[in-house]
Amino acid sequence: MDARLDMLTNPVLGKFIKHLNAAARVALDAGVPLSTLELVELRASQINGCAVCVDMHSKDAAHHGETPVRINLVATWREATVYTDAERAALALTEAGTRIADAAGGVPDDVWLNATKHYDENQLAALVGAIAAINTWNRLNVMTAQPAGDYVPGQWG
């Protein structure tokens, strides 16, 4: 599979990606556990069918110590017993925020209120930003048909 557009050499997308990367780093500074952010990014990428991001975030999660069971079960997190209540709240927010077009009214109040039980305001802001950022990455990669499979953990920083 060949990409439709080389996002790394195109000057317009290069500028866009630079700013997107800077924005995404903010979430790491707000106190949301890296493991939660990896699960959030993986789940959104699964929903959006972004092979590049599924490849990257599953490998990065493993590289950072996430277990194969938790990585493999994230697509079925509701039925899995391996996630904390806080992680479940983040995954529910991820799904609702990713599937906005499917839900009249956007993110349901109960999903938001559950997230507020586990995350402070800055952490919630970081989760919202991270969910928005991964959805943007998913769309960039899917629209330009980026190939997946050869990602090496840490390759992008």
Side-chain angles (χ1 to χ4, degrees):
M1 178 173 159
D2 292 325
R4 294 176 177 150
L5 185 63
D6 187 338
M7 296 194 315
L8 300 178
T9 61
N10 180 278
V12 173
L13 270 179
K15 289 178 188 175
F16 187 85
I17 288 169
K18 177 183 172 184
H19 293 290
L20 183 58
N21 282 337
R25 280 190 217 101
V26 172
L28 291 173
D29 297 333
V32 178
L34 178 60
S35 59
T36 300
L37 292 172
E38 289 290 358
L39 294 172
V40 160
E41 291 170 333
L42 178 56
R43 184 64 190 125
S45 301
Q46 290 170 336
I47 293 167
N48 289 323
C50 181
V52 171
C53 291
V54 169
D55 181 36
M56 180 166 99
H57 294 293
S58 61
K59 288 176 181 175
D60 279 347
H63 181 74
H64 293 123
E66 195 58 74
T67 67
V69 169
R70 285 170 44 91
I71 293 169
N72 292 330
L73 288 177
V74 75
T76 57
W77 64 269
R78 283 183 177 81
E79 295 82 18
T81 60
V82 296
Y83 303 105
T84 67
D85 289 342
E87 290 167 336
R88 291 175 174 285
L91 289 166
L93 184 61
T94 300
E95 287 193 2
T98 299
R99 292 185 165 141
I100 287 176
D102 300 338
V107 175
D109 288 339
D110 64 321
V111 170
W112 183 262
L113 289 174
N114 188 41
T116 66
K117 294 176 187 175
H118 303 282
Y119 301 99
D120 66 29
E121 187 173 299
N122 286 340
Q123 292 170 326
L124 284 168
L127 280 169
V128 168
I131 293 165
I134 192 60
N135 275 280
T136 300
W137 274 113
N138 293 162
R139 281 149 179 78
L140 287 169
N141 286 317
V142 170
M143 283 191 284
T144 61
Q146 298 298 311
D150 59 355
Y151 177 78
V152 176
Q155 174 177 333
W156 303 115

